[in-house]
Short mmCIF file of all heavy atoms in Angstrom, two decimals:
data_model
loop_
_atom_site.label_atom_id
_atom_site.label_comp_id
_atom_site.label_asym_id
_atom_site.label_seq_id
_atom_site.Cartn_x
_atom_site.Cartn_y
_atom_site.Cartn_z
N MET A 1 5.51 7.83 2.10
CA MET A 1 4.42 7.77 3.01
C MET A 1 4.96 7.34 4.34
O MET A 1 6.02 6.60 4.45
CB MET A 1 3.45 6.77 2.46
CG MET A 1 2.14 6.63 3.30
SD MET A 1 0.90 5.62 2.53
CE MET A 1 0.55 6.55 1.06
N ASP A 2 4.33 7.70 5.44
CA ASP A 2 4.82 7.18 6.72
C ASP A 2 3.84 6.10 7.29
O ASP A 2 2.71 5.91 6.73
CB ASP A 2 4.91 8.34 7.76
CG ASP A 2 3.59 8.96 8.14
OD1 ASP A 2 2.55 8.42 8.10
OD2 ASP A 2 3.64 10.18 8.51
N VAL A 3 4.35 5.43 8.29
CA VAL A 3 3.61 4.23 8.84
C VAL A 3 2.31 4.60 9.35
O VAL A 3 1.26 3.85 9.25
CB VAL A 3 4.50 3.56 9.91
CG1 VAL A 3 3.72 2.56 10.67
CG2 VAL A 3 5.75 3.02 9.38
N ASN A 4 2.16 5.81 10.10
CA ASN A 4 0.85 6.18 10.59
C ASN A 4 -0.16 6.37 9.47
O ASN A 4 -1.36 5.98 9.67
CB ASN A 4 1.07 7.45 11.41
CG ASN A 4 1.73 7.19 12.69
OD1 ASN A 4 1.53 6.17 13.30
ND2 ASN A 4 2.42 8.17 13.17
N ARG A 5 0.25 6.85 8.29
CA ARG A 5 -0.66 7.08 7.25
C ARG A 5 -1.13 5.70 6.66
O ARG A 5 -2.32 5.59 6.34
CB ARG A 5 -0.09 8.04 6.13
CG ARG A 5 -1.06 8.33 5.08
CD ARG A 5 -2.30 9.03 5.54
NE ARG A 5 -3.24 9.29 4.50
CZ ARG A 5 -4.59 9.10 4.56
NH1 ARG A 5 -5.10 8.88 5.82
NH2 ARG A 5 -5.43 9.33 3.59
N VAL A 6 -0.28 4.86 6.61
CA VAL A 6 -0.64 3.48 6.10
C VAL A 6 -1.78 2.89 7.06
O VAL A 6 -2.71 2.32 6.60
CB VAL A 6 0.61 2.51 6.05
CG1 VAL A 6 0.26 1.12 5.80
CG2 VAL A 6 1.56 3.04 4.92
N LYS A 7 -1.44 3.04 8.36
CA LYS A 7 -2.48 2.58 9.32
C LYS A 7 -3.80 3.15 9.15
O LYS A 7 -4.84 2.56 9.22
CB LYS A 7 -1.93 2.77 10.83
CG LYS A 7 -0.85 1.86 11.21
CD LYS A 7 -0.28 2.16 12.50
CE LYS A 7 0.85 1.29 12.90
NZ LYS A 7 1.42 1.70 14.26
N GLN A 8 -3.83 4.50 8.92
CA GLN A 8 -5.12 5.22 8.58
C GLN A 8 -5.68 4.76 7.38
O GLN A 8 -7.11 4.49 7.40
CB GLN A 8 -4.85 6.66 8.49
CG GLN A 8 -4.42 7.32 9.80
CD GLN A 8 -4.03 8.84 9.51
OE1 GLN A 8 -3.74 9.29 8.43
NE2 GLN A 8 -3.82 9.54 10.66
N ILE A 9 -4.97 4.51 6.32
CA ILE A 9 -5.54 3.98 5.05
C ILE A 9 -6.16 2.62 5.21
O ILE A 9 -7.23 2.36 4.80
CB ILE A 9 -4.52 4.05 3.94
CG1 ILE A 9 -4.16 5.46 3.61
CG2 ILE A 9 -4.96 3.19 2.75
CD1 ILE A 9 -3.03 5.64 2.67
N LEU A 10 -5.50 1.76 5.97
CA LEU A 10 -5.98 0.41 6.20
C LEU A 10 -7.26 0.43 6.93
O LEU A 10 -8.10 -0.46 6.85
CB LEU A 10 -4.80 -0.38 6.93
CG LEU A 10 -3.72 -0.82 6.08
CD1 LEU A 10 -2.61 -1.41 6.86
CD2 LEU A 10 -4.14 -1.85 4.98
N SER A 11 -7.38 1.33 7.93
CA SER A 11 -8.65 1.36 8.72
C SER A 11 -9.72 2.13 8.14
O SER A 11 -10.86 2.17 8.59
CB SER A 11 -8.28 1.90 10.11
OG SER A 11 -7.91 3.23 10.04
N SER A 12 -9.45 2.81 7.00
CA SER A 12 -10.47 3.67 6.30
C SER A 12 -11.39 2.80 5.40
O SER A 12 -10.92 1.86 4.78
CB SER A 12 -9.78 4.73 5.48
OG SER A 12 -10.69 5.40 4.74
N SER A 13 -12.59 3.19 5.27
CA SER A 13 -13.53 2.49 4.34
C SER A 13 -13.52 3.19 3.00
O SER A 13 -14.10 2.73 1.95
CB SER A 13 -14.90 2.50 4.85
OG SER A 13 -15.45 3.80 5.05
N ALA A 14 -12.79 4.36 2.86
CA ALA A 14 -12.78 5.08 1.65
C ALA A 14 -11.71 4.44 0.66
O ALA A 14 -10.80 3.69 1.15
CB ALA A 14 -12.28 6.47 1.91
N GLU A 15 -11.92 4.62 -0.60
CA GLU A 15 -10.95 4.20 -1.60
C GLU A 15 -9.90 5.28 -1.80
O GLU A 15 -10.25 6.31 -2.35
CB GLU A 15 -11.66 3.92 -2.90
CG GLU A 15 -10.78 3.22 -3.96
CD GLU A 15 -11.58 2.82 -5.26
OE1 GLU A 15 -12.63 2.25 -5.07
OE2 GLU A 15 -11.05 3.08 -6.26
N ILE A 16 -8.73 5.02 -1.36
CA ILE A 16 -7.64 6.00 -1.27
C ILE A 16 -6.69 5.61 -2.46
O ILE A 16 -6.14 4.53 -2.43
CB ILE A 16 -7.01 6.15 0.04
CG1 ILE A 16 -8.05 6.61 1.06
CG2 ILE A 16 -5.84 7.02 0.01
CD1 ILE A 16 -7.60 6.52 2.51
N ASP A 17 -6.34 6.60 -3.27
CA ASP A 17 -5.38 6.35 -4.39
C ASP A 17 -3.93 6.27 -3.83
O ASP A 17 -3.39 7.31 -3.54
CB ASP A 17 -5.51 7.38 -5.44
CG ASP A 17 -4.81 7.10 -6.79
OD1 ASP A 17 -4.33 5.96 -6.93
OD2 ASP A 17 -4.82 7.98 -7.57
N VAL A 18 -3.35 5.07 -3.90
CA VAL A 18 -1.97 4.87 -3.42
C VAL A 18 -1.19 4.34 -4.55
O VAL A 18 -1.70 3.42 -5.39
CB VAL A 18 -1.93 3.88 -2.21
CG1 VAL A 18 -0.43 3.59 -1.85
CG2 VAL A 18 -2.65 4.51 -0.98
N ARG A 19 -0.01 4.74 -4.75
CA ARG A 19 0.88 4.34 -5.94
C ARG A 19 2.14 3.80 -5.43
O ARG A 19 2.74 4.32 -4.45
CB ARG A 19 1.04 5.48 -6.91
CG ARG A 19 -0.15 6.15 -7.37
CD ARG A 19 -0.44 5.85 -8.79
NE ARG A 19 -1.75 6.30 -9.03
CZ ARG A 19 -2.21 6.47 -10.30
NH1 ARG A 19 -1.41 6.24 -11.32
NH2 ARG A 19 -3.47 6.84 -10.52
N TYR A 20 2.77 2.87 -6.18
CA TYR A 20 4.04 2.38 -5.95
C TYR A 20 4.77 2.45 -7.28
O TYR A 20 4.32 1.81 -8.27
CB TYR A 20 4.04 0.92 -5.34
CG TYR A 20 5.42 0.28 -5.29
CD1 TYR A 20 6.35 0.82 -4.31
CD2 TYR A 20 5.84 -0.72 -6.07
CE1 TYR A 20 7.58 0.20 -4.34
CE2 TYR A 20 7.00 -1.27 -6.05
CZ TYR A 20 7.98 -0.73 -5.10
OH TYR A 20 9.19 -1.38 -4.99
N ASN A 21 5.81 3.17 -7.36
CA ASN A 21 6.51 3.39 -8.66
C ASN A 21 5.50 3.85 -9.73
O ASN A 21 5.62 3.36 -10.83
CB ASN A 21 7.37 2.18 -9.04
CG ASN A 21 8.55 1.99 -8.23
OD1 ASN A 21 9.02 2.86 -7.63
ND2 ASN A 21 8.97 0.76 -8.21
N GLY A 22 4.60 4.68 -9.38
CA GLY A 22 3.65 5.16 -10.31
C GLY A 22 2.49 4.26 -10.69
O GLY A 22 1.61 4.64 -11.42
N THR A 23 2.52 3.06 -10.11
CA THR A 23 1.38 2.07 -10.43
C THR A 23 0.46 2.06 -9.22
O THR A 23 0.84 1.91 -8.11
CB THR A 23 2.07 0.69 -10.56
OG1 THR A 23 3.06 0.71 -11.55
CG2 THR A 23 1.04 -0.34 -10.90
N PRO A 24 -0.89 2.07 -9.59
CA PRO A 24 -1.90 2.01 -8.48
C PRO A 24 -1.85 0.67 -7.81
O PRO A 24 -1.83 -0.38 -8.50
CB PRO A 24 -3.26 2.12 -9.25
CG PRO A 24 -2.88 2.71 -10.63
CD PRO A 24 -1.50 2.26 -10.89
N VAL A 25 -1.85 0.65 -6.43
CA VAL A 25 -1.82 -0.53 -5.69
C VAL A 25 -2.78 -0.36 -4.55
O VAL A 25 -3.22 0.65 -4.05
CB VAL A 25 -0.40 -0.79 -5.08
CG1 VAL A 25 0.59 -1.09 -6.16
CG2 VAL A 25 0.06 0.30 -4.12
N TRP A 26 -3.23 -1.62 -3.96
CA TRP A 26 -3.93 -1.72 -2.74
C TRP A 26 -2.94 -2.05 -1.68
O TRP A 26 -2.14 -2.96 -1.85
CB TRP A 26 -5.06 -2.79 -2.81
CG TRP A 26 -6.16 -2.43 -3.75
CD1 TRP A 26 -6.44 -3.13 -4.98
CD2 TRP A 26 -7.20 -1.56 -3.47
NE1 TRP A 26 -7.55 -2.56 -5.50
CE2 TRP A 26 -8.10 -1.56 -4.62
CE3 TRP A 26 -7.50 -0.64 -2.52
CZ2 TRP A 26 -9.20 -0.82 -4.75
CZ3 TRP A 26 -8.74 0.10 -2.53
CH2 TRP A 26 -9.62 0.02 -3.71
N ILE A 27 -3.04 -1.57 -0.44
CA ILE A 27 -2.26 -1.97 0.65
C ILE A 27 -3.04 -3.00 1.40
O ILE A 27 -4.17 -2.88 1.78
CB ILE A 27 -1.98 -0.76 1.61
CG1 ILE A 27 -1.25 0.39 0.86
CG2 ILE A 27 -1.15 -1.26 2.74
CD1 ILE A 27 -1.13 1.66 1.73
N ASP A 28 -2.45 -4.27 1.45
CA ASP A 28 -3.09 -5.34 2.11
C ASP A 28 -2.82 -5.36 3.62
O ASP A 28 -3.70 -5.62 4.38
CB ASP A 28 -2.60 -6.69 1.54
CG ASP A 28 -2.95 -6.87 0.10
OD1 ASP A 28 -4.17 -6.53 -0.30
OD2 ASP A 28 -2.14 -7.28 -0.73
N LYS A 29 -1.58 -5.00 4.01
CA LYS A 29 -1.22 -5.02 5.35
C LYS A 29 0.06 -4.36 5.67
O LYS A 29 0.90 -4.23 4.71
CB LYS A 29 -1.21 -6.44 6.11
CG LYS A 29 -0.09 -7.24 5.47
CD LYS A 29 -0.05 -8.62 6.24
CE LYS A 29 1.13 -9.39 5.76
NZ LYS A 29 1.34 -10.64 6.47
N LEU A 30 0.22 -3.85 6.78
CA LEU A 30 1.48 -3.28 7.29
C LEU A 30 2.22 -4.50 7.86
O LEU A 30 1.60 -5.20 8.83
CB LEU A 30 1.38 -2.26 8.43
CG LEU A 30 2.54 -1.58 8.96
CD1 LEU A 30 3.38 -0.97 7.80
CD2 LEU A 30 2.15 -0.62 9.94
N ASN A 31 3.32 -4.71 7.52
CA ASN A 31 4.14 -5.95 7.96
C ASN A 31 4.70 -5.67 9.45
O ASN A 31 4.71 -4.53 9.83
CB ASN A 31 5.27 -6.30 7.10
CG ASN A 31 4.74 -6.72 5.73
OD1 ASN A 31 3.66 -7.33 5.67
ND2 ASN A 31 5.42 -6.46 4.66
N GLU A 32 4.97 -6.70 10.13
CA GLU A 32 5.37 -6.57 11.56
C GLU A 32 6.62 -5.74 11.74
O GLU A 32 6.75 -5.16 12.84
CB GLU A 32 5.59 -8.01 12.12
CG GLU A 32 4.33 -8.76 12.25
CD GLU A 32 4.54 -10.22 12.81
OE1 GLU A 32 5.50 -10.38 13.54
OE2 GLU A 32 3.59 -11.01 12.75
N ASP A 33 7.48 -5.72 10.75
CA ASP A 33 8.74 -4.90 10.88
C ASP A 33 8.51 -3.44 10.94
O ASP A 33 9.32 -2.62 11.32
CB ASP A 33 9.70 -5.22 9.83
CG ASP A 33 9.26 -4.88 8.38
OD1 ASP A 33 8.16 -4.27 8.28
OD2 ASP A 33 9.91 -5.37 7.46
N GLY A 34 7.25 -2.92 10.59
CA GLY A 34 6.85 -1.67 10.57
C GLY A 34 7.53 -0.77 9.47
O GLY A 34 7.35 0.51 9.48
N VAL A 35 8.30 -1.43 8.62
CA VAL A 35 9.00 -0.69 7.57
C VAL A 35 8.49 -1.02 6.26
O VAL A 35 8.57 -0.27 5.26
CB VAL A 35 10.55 -1.07 7.66
CG1 VAL A 35 11.36 -0.35 6.58
CG2 VAL A 35 11.12 -0.58 9.07
N THR A 36 7.86 -2.25 6.06
CA THR A 36 7.39 -2.71 4.78
C THR A 36 5.89 -2.91 4.98
O THR A 36 5.36 -3.19 5.98
CB THR A 36 8.13 -3.96 4.33
OG1 THR A 36 7.86 -5.02 5.29
CG2 THR A 36 9.57 -3.73 4.12
N ALA A 37 5.28 -3.01 3.76
CA ALA A 37 3.85 -3.31 3.63
C ALA A 37 3.72 -4.30 2.54
O ALA A 37 4.45 -4.28 1.53
CB ALA A 37 3.02 -1.97 3.34
N THR A 38 2.64 -5.13 2.55
CA THR A 38 2.21 -6.02 1.60
C THR A 38 1.22 -5.43 0.67
O THR A 38 0.25 -4.82 1.22
CB THR A 38 1.74 -7.37 2.11
OG1 THR A 38 2.72 -7.90 2.91
CG2 THR A 38 1.35 -8.33 0.97
N VAL A 39 1.43 -5.26 -0.69
CA VAL A 39 0.48 -4.58 -1.57
C VAL A 39 0.26 -5.49 -2.82
O VAL A 39 0.91 -6.47 -2.98
CB VAL A 39 1.17 -3.21 -2.06
CG1 VAL A 39 1.45 -2.36 -0.90
CG2 VAL A 39 2.33 -3.44 -2.99
N HIS A 40 -0.85 -5.21 -3.48
CA HIS A 40 -1.05 -5.85 -4.83
C HIS A 40 -1.61 -4.80 -5.73
O HIS A 40 -2.16 -3.73 -5.27
CB HIS A 40 -2.04 -7.04 -4.65
CG HIS A 40 -3.40 -6.79 -4.43
ND1 HIS A 40 -3.90 -6.61 -3.09
CD2 HIS A 40 -4.49 -6.65 -5.14
CE1 HIS A 40 -5.18 -6.39 -3.13
NE2 HIS A 40 -5.54 -6.33 -4.40
N LEU A 41 -1.36 -5.04 -7.06
CA LEU A 41 -1.84 -4.20 -8.11
C LEU A 41 -3.29 -4.11 -8.09
O LEU A 41 -4.06 -5.09 -7.95
CB LEU A 41 -1.31 -4.66 -9.47
CG LEU A 41 0.22 -4.72 -9.62
CD1 LEU A 41 0.52 -5.34 -11.02
CD2 LEU A 41 0.82 -3.33 -9.50
N ARG A 42 -3.81 -2.95 -8.28
CA ARG A 42 -5.28 -2.77 -8.56
C ARG A 42 -5.65 -3.43 -9.91
O ARG A 42 -4.83 -3.35 -10.88
CB ARG A 42 -5.60 -1.35 -8.64
CG ARG A 42 -5.63 -0.65 -7.27
CD ARG A 42 -6.17 0.79 -7.43
NE ARG A 42 -6.06 1.46 -6.09
CZ ARG A 42 -6.86 2.37 -5.73
NH1 ARG A 42 -7.82 2.77 -6.51
NH2 ARG A 42 -6.70 2.88 -4.56
N GLY A 43 -6.79 -4.01 -9.94
CA GLY A 43 -7.25 -4.60 -11.18
C GLY A 43 -7.27 -6.17 -11.11
O GLY A 43 -7.46 -6.73 -10.01
N THR A 44 -6.98 -6.78 -12.19
CA THR A 44 -7.15 -8.22 -12.26
C THR A 44 -6.04 -9.11 -11.62
O THR A 44 -6.22 -10.16 -11.26
CB THR A 44 -7.48 -8.66 -13.66
OG1 THR A 44 -6.29 -8.33 -14.47
CG2 THR A 44 -8.68 -8.14 -14.30
N LEU A 45 -4.85 -8.46 -11.56
CA LEU A 45 -3.69 -9.17 -11.08
C LEU A 45 -3.71 -9.23 -9.51
O LEU A 45 -3.82 -8.22 -8.89
CB LEU A 45 -2.40 -8.61 -11.57
CG LEU A 45 -2.15 -8.61 -13.08
CD1 LEU A 45 -0.86 -7.87 -13.45
CD2 LEU A 45 -2.04 -10.00 -13.57
N GLU A 46 -3.56 -10.36 -8.99
CA GLU A 46 -3.58 -10.51 -7.58
C GLU A 46 -2.23 -10.81 -6.88
O GLU A 46 -2.16 -11.20 -5.81
CB GLU A 46 -4.54 -11.62 -7.12
CG GLU A 46 -6.09 -11.27 -7.43
CD GLU A 46 -6.48 -10.12 -6.51
OE1 GLU A 46 -6.19 -10.03 -5.34
OE2 GLU A 46 -7.27 -9.31 -6.99
N GLU A 47 -1.17 -10.61 -7.66
CA GLU A 47 0.18 -10.88 -7.21
C GLU A 47 0.45 -9.84 -6.13
O GLU A 47 0.42 -8.68 -6.30
CB GLU A 47 1.20 -10.80 -8.36
CG GLU A 47 2.58 -11.11 -7.95
CD GLU A 47 3.55 -11.08 -9.05
OE1 GLU A 47 3.08 -11.25 -10.22
OE2 GLU A 47 4.79 -10.87 -8.87
N ARG A 48 0.99 -10.44 -4.95
CA ARG A 48 1.22 -9.61 -3.85
C ARG A 48 2.78 -9.44 -3.73
O ARG A 48 3.54 -10.42 -4.02
CB ARG A 48 0.75 -10.12 -2.53
CG ARG A 48 -0.85 -9.97 -2.51
CD ARG A 48 -1.51 -10.67 -1.38
NE ARG A 48 -2.91 -10.15 -1.17
CZ ARG A 48 -3.83 -10.45 -2.02
NH1 ARG A 48 -3.67 -11.14 -3.12
NH2 ARG A 48 -5.14 -10.05 -1.77
N THR A 49 3.22 -8.31 -3.25
CA THR A 49 4.65 -8.12 -3.03
C THR A 49 4.89 -7.20 -1.85
O THR A 49 4.02 -6.53 -1.43
CB THR A 49 5.27 -7.44 -4.26
OG1 THR A 49 6.68 -7.41 -4.12
CG2 THR A 49 4.72 -6.00 -4.54
N GLU A 50 6.05 -7.31 -1.21
CA GLU A 50 6.44 -6.45 -0.12
C GLU A 50 7.22 -5.25 -0.63
O GLU A 50 8.09 -5.39 -1.41
CB GLU A 50 7.20 -7.25 0.93
CG GLU A 50 6.42 -8.24 1.70
CD GLU A 50 7.21 -8.84 2.78
OE1 GLU A 50 8.38 -8.37 3.17
OE2 GLU A 50 6.76 -9.96 3.29
N VAL A 51 6.88 -4.17 -0.19
CA VAL A 51 7.49 -2.85 -0.47
C VAL A 51 7.85 -2.11 0.70
O VAL A 51 7.13 -2.19 1.77
CB VAL A 51 6.67 -2.06 -1.54
CG1 VAL A 51 6.34 -2.86 -2.79
CG2 VAL A 51 5.37 -1.59 -0.91
N GLU A 52 8.69 -1.12 0.67
CA GLU A 52 9.03 -0.28 1.74
C GLU A 52 7.89 0.81 1.77
O GLU A 52 7.47 1.39 0.75
CB GLU A 52 10.45 0.46 1.64
CG GLU A 52 11.56 -0.59 1.83
CD GLU A 52 12.94 0.12 1.91
OE1 GLU A 52 12.92 1.37 2.35
OE2 GLU A 52 13.93 -0.50 1.63
N VAL A 53 7.43 1.08 2.97
CA VAL A 53 6.42 2.08 3.25
C VAL A 53 6.84 3.37 2.62
O VAL A 53 5.92 4.06 2.05
CB VAL A 53 6.03 2.14 4.63
CG1 VAL A 53 5.13 3.38 4.98
CG2 VAL A 53 5.40 0.89 5.23
N ALA A 54 8.10 3.79 2.78
CA ALA A 54 8.57 5.04 2.25
C ALA A 54 8.42 5.20 0.78
O ALA A 54 8.33 6.34 0.30
CB ALA A 54 10.05 5.19 2.75
N GLU A 55 8.33 4.04 0.13
CA GLU A 55 8.19 4.12 -1.39
C GLU A 55 6.78 4.26 -1.83
O GLU A 55 6.59 4.41 -3.01
CB GLU A 55 8.86 2.93 -1.99
CG GLU A 55 10.35 2.84 -1.69
CD GLU A 55 10.97 1.54 -2.28
OE1 GLU A 55 10.43 1.02 -3.25
OE2 GLU A 55 12.22 1.33 -1.93
N LEU A 56 5.78 4.21 -0.96
CA LEU A 56 4.46 4.40 -1.34
C LEU A 56 4.10 5.85 -1.38
O LEU A 56 4.63 6.61 -0.56
CB LEU A 56 3.47 3.69 -0.33
CG LEU A 56 3.65 2.14 -0.18
CD1 LEU A 56 2.81 1.64 0.91
CD2 LEU A 56 3.16 1.50 -1.50
N GLU A 57 3.21 6.22 -2.30
CA GLU A 57 2.85 7.57 -2.50
C GLU A 57 1.27 7.68 -2.61
O GLU A 57 0.61 7.01 -3.32
CB GLU A 57 3.50 8.15 -3.83
CG GLU A 57 3.10 9.56 -4.14
CD GLU A 57 3.77 9.99 -5.38
OE1 GLU A 57 3.98 9.19 -6.34
OE2 GLU A 57 4.00 11.19 -5.60
N GLU A 58 0.69 8.63 -1.86
CA GLU A 58 -0.72 8.87 -1.83
C GLU A 58 -0.93 10.01 -2.90
O GLU A 58 -0.24 11.02 -2.73
CB GLU A 58 -1.23 9.24 -0.52
CG GLU A 58 -2.67 9.45 -0.42
CD GLU A 58 -3.18 9.81 0.95
OE1 GLU A 58 -2.36 9.81 1.95
OE2 GLU A 58 -4.40 10.09 1.03
N LEU A 59 -1.87 9.91 -3.70
CA LEU A 59 -2.29 10.94 -4.72
C LEU A 59 -3.50 11.71 -4.24
O LEU A 59 -4.27 11.26 -3.51
CB LEU A 59 -2.37 10.34 -6.10
CG LEU A 59 -1.19 9.72 -6.59
CD1 LEU A 59 -1.54 9.30 -8.11
CD2 LEU A 59 0.01 10.66 -6.74
#
């Protein structure tokens, strides 16, 4: 995924299916470096992690 698409998803009110390594995630924010984003797993787990934007996939 590219940085511009991450920005679009963050500003959208729609629920957009994004995956990291095949796992559904919510994008919390685009980090200041512009290369990574903070995400958390969809569901009950609220653990947040930083991942490279290029590793995110929209379905």
Side-chain angles (χ1 to χ4, degrees):
M1 183 175 296
D2 67 29
V3 172
N4 287 329
R5 184 61 185 139
V6 170
K7 289 177 182 177
Q8 290 172 348
I9 290 170
L10 286 169
S11 66
S12 173
S13 61
E15 186 174 317
I16 298 168
D17 192 6
V18 176
R19 307 254 170 160
Y20 173 69
N21 288 340
T23 304
V25 296
W26 290 108
I27 302 173
D28 296 317
K29 69 175 184 174
L30 179 64
N31 297 327
E32 291 181 20
D33 61 13
V35 178
T36 61
T38 302
V39 302
H40 71 273
L41 297 176
R42 289 186 181 209
T44 57
L45 298 176
E46 290 293 322
E47 183 178 335
R48 286 172 168 69
T49 188
E50 287 187 15
V51 300
E52 289 192 23
V53 169
E55 295 180 17
L56 295 173
E57 180 181 27
E58 181 180 356
L59 297 183

